[in-house]
Amino acid sequence: SAVISQKPSRDICQRGTSLTIQCQVDSQVTMMFWYRQQPGQSLTLIATANQGSEATYESGFVIDKFPISRPNLTFSTLTVSNMSPEDSSIYLCSVAEQESKGYTFGSGTRLTVV
Amino acid sequence: SQQGEEDPQALSIQEGENATMNCSYKTSINNLQWYRQNSGRGLVHLILIRSNEREKHSGRLRVTLDTSKKSSSLLITASRAADTASYFCATKGNQFYFGTGTSLTVIP
């Protein structure tokens, strides 16, 4: 299975600032997914990132708030912009390889906005 | 919501006992997957069961799927303290949705 390196693992940020989260995959993958997991909640898909095209955002998420880059088939970034305390969550990237292997996740970024 | 609902929300058992978690969903699916998450870290894929399968085993894990009832269960046999984690079901149909999760605590 693919191995994903996600960083930073955690950060504490001031409101109004931005944080960029990076995910590096050890193999080429077509689609990468970005999720948010609010405290005590399940995972919610933010967007799907394809190489060479704009990310596809789910309802409730917009590009201005969560810009995504996908410069090649092994790397993607998610930026959380103009942060507020409500953005405090765990952010996870994910890739899908073969259906039988399910999805592989990065180790997550625990973001606290103060 | 199209998410799966899991019950119980929290489960506490003694080491050596079996743990059963249930997942119900609302839409037609291609497959259902179970994941484990330790302490807010990344999720680890445990097992996938296709819509035409009824039961699947992997080590101490046993998963059942009843598409007529739109439900699945995950059984962990002979639990260990290291099994303490949150467990999520995820359904794959036209989209991919995660359930609400069960927090399992195994007491040594």
Side-chain angles (χ1 to χ4, degrees):
Chain A
S1 298
V3 175
I4 303 176
S5 175
Q6 181 173 346
K7 57 183 181 182
S9 59
R10 61 177 60 226
D11 207 342
I12 301 173
C13 301
Q14 297 290 324
R15 66 175 67 201
T17 62
S18 298
L19 176 72
T20 295
I21 301 166
Q22 300 180 3
C23 275
Q24 178 76 51
V25 190
D26 68 345
S27 58
Q28 295 185 336
V29 292
T30 304
M31 291 192 291
M32 291 181 72
F33 307 91
W34 287 97
Y35 287 87
R36 180 175 74 183
Q37 185 179 26
Q38 293 178 303
Q41 303 289 315
S42 187
L43 280 73
T44 301
L45 181 64
I46 298 172
T48 302
N50 294 319
Q51 191 266 337
S53 64
E54 277 198 7
T56 303
Y57 288 83
E58 298 298 307
S59 176
F61 298 96
V62 295
I63 188 171
D64 289 346
K65 176 66 176 177
F66 297 101
I68 287 172
S69 78
R70 184 82 202 275
N72 56 54
L73 291 174
T74 63
F75 187 78
S76 180
T77 68
L78 169 77
T79 299
V80 186
S81 303
N82 188 24
M83 289 183 285
S84 67
E86 291 71 34
D87 295 319
S88 297
S89 290
I90 297 170
Y91 293 85
L92 299 123
C93 61
S94 174
V95 301
E97 301 174 273
Q98 301 171 21
E99 183 200 45
S100 60
K101 293 183 179 180
Y103 287 68
T104 300
F105 284 82
S107 55
T109 297
R110 184 182 292 271
L111 170 63
T112 303
V113 183
V114 296
Chain B
S1 167
Q2 306 237 12
Q3 280 185 329
E5 296 286 333
E6 294 184 58
D7 77 88
Q9 288 188 326
L11 179 61
S12 183
I13 59 174
Q14 294 289 330
E15 200 166 34
E17 294 180 339
N18 295 341
T20 300
M21 291 159 263
N22 302 294
C23 170
S24 60
Y25 57 92
K26 297 180 180 179
T27 62
S28 297
I29 62 171
N30 298 321
N31 65 63
L32 185 144
Q33 304 172 30
W34 285 90
Y35 289 82
R36 165 192 166 133
Q37 183 181 37
N38 287 74
S39 300
R41 303 289 289 172
L43 278 73
V44 175
H45 178 251
L46 295 175
I47 195 166
L48 179 152
I49 186 166
R50 293 186 173 82
S51 60
N52 61 352
E53 297 176 311
R54 292 297 167 258
E55 187 171 315
K56 204 161 184 179
H57 297 254
S58 177
R60 293 185 295 114
L61 305 179
R62 173 177 169 255
V63 169
T64 62
L65 178 63
D66 186 336
T67 53
S68 66
K69 295 181 179 178
K70 290 187 168 59
S71 67
S72 174
S73 68
L74 171 68
L75 168 68
I76 303 174
T77 60
S79 64
R80 305 166 182 168
D83 294 329
T84 295
S86 292
Y87 292 82
F88 293 89
C89 66
T91 54
K92 180 71 170 69
N94 290 330
Q95 292 186 286
F96 190 55
Y97 291 106
F98 279 88
T100 51
T102 293
S103 176
L104 173 66
T105 301
V106 181
I107 303 167

